[in-house]
Amino acid sequence: MMKHRKMKPAQLPIYRAVESLLLWLVPVIERLPKSVPYQTLGGLAIRDANECLDAIVVAHGLDKNSPNYQMARRECFGILVARMTSIKTKMRIFQQCRIRVKDAEGNPRLAPVLSPKQEAKFLDLVNPIAIQAGAWLAAAPSTSSQTQKSLD
């Protein structure tokens, strides 16, 4: 009989998806305007992505025999969902903000901080994470109505 080995957190599809998001975020944030508000929001987005990775690792490492397993797992997923929401909000702000740039002729114009192409790439990276996180959250049975209310 073959022994079933537990996957390492870095092998999980959701972990790899968040890691891909982080790898995309770093150079995008590096190219943001150097003013404090943009760099602060960008740094927070990177921190949020790291916290998503942490929540996945913690959820994956929980002892399934622990009496608090389901509640702890739901808390990890709650953190993951909250941090992903925070990242999406920051990216929406970057997409809505405008900065002065020069066009090909050297004329000044306003352009979004996050281009439509970057926004599309971001959404392509976020959607698999949202789908997998939603599936994990749905698969974890609620331990109490209080836990469910805190996630709504």
Side-chain angles (χ1 to χ4, degrees):
M1 180 190 291
M2 196 166 114
K3 187 176 180 180
H4 188 62
R5 290 180 18 198
K6 187 175 180 179
M7 290 178 74
K8 295 178 182 175
Q11 295 172 321
L12 298 171
I14 192 168
Y15 186 95
R16 288 194 313 270
V18 174
E19 189 176 53
S20 294
L21 173 63
L22 185 57
L23 288 170
W24 176 84
L25 267 175
V26 171
V28 168
I29 300 306
E30 179 65 28
R31 289 189 296 271
L32 287 175
K34 299 303 177 200
S35 65
V36 173
Y38 290 113
Q39 290 300 310
T40 300
L41 283 176
L44 291 172
I46 291 171
R47 185 209 62 199
D48 289 341
N50 279 313
E51 287 183 9
C52 288
L53 292 174
D54 292 345
I56 293 165
V57 169
V58 170
H60 186 69
L62 291 171
D63 179 6
K64 292 181 181 179
N65 297 321
S66 169
N68 296 323
Y69 170 73
Q70 292 298 342
M71 186 170 63
R73 187 173 174 183
R74 278 190 157 280
E75 286 178 19
C76 289
F77 299 145
I79 290 168
L80 176 64
V81 169
R83 295 298 110 223
M84 287 306 301
T85 301
S86 180
I87 293 169
K88 287 191 271 187
T89 301
K90 290 170 183 67
M91 292 299 113
R92 193 167 39 255
I93 290 168
F94 291 145
Q95 198 279 327
Q96 292 174 1
C97 288
R98 304 283 186 245
I99 56 172
R100 291 191 189 279
V101 296
K102 293 186 179 184
D103 62 17
E105 291 83 38
N107 299 321
R109 66 178 178 85
L110 292 177
V113 174
L114 191 69
S115 72
K117 187 176 179 179
Q118 289 173 316
E119 182 183 17
K121 179 64 177 174
F122 171 73
L123 293 173
D124 286 344
L125 290 166
V126 167
N127 284 336
I129 299 166
I131 290 167
Q132 292 175 52
W136 274 18
L137 196 54
S142 179
T143 55
S144 71
S145 60
Q146 183 65 27
T147 302
Q148 184 60 40
K149 286 179 186 176
S150 69
L151 294 172
D152 291 340

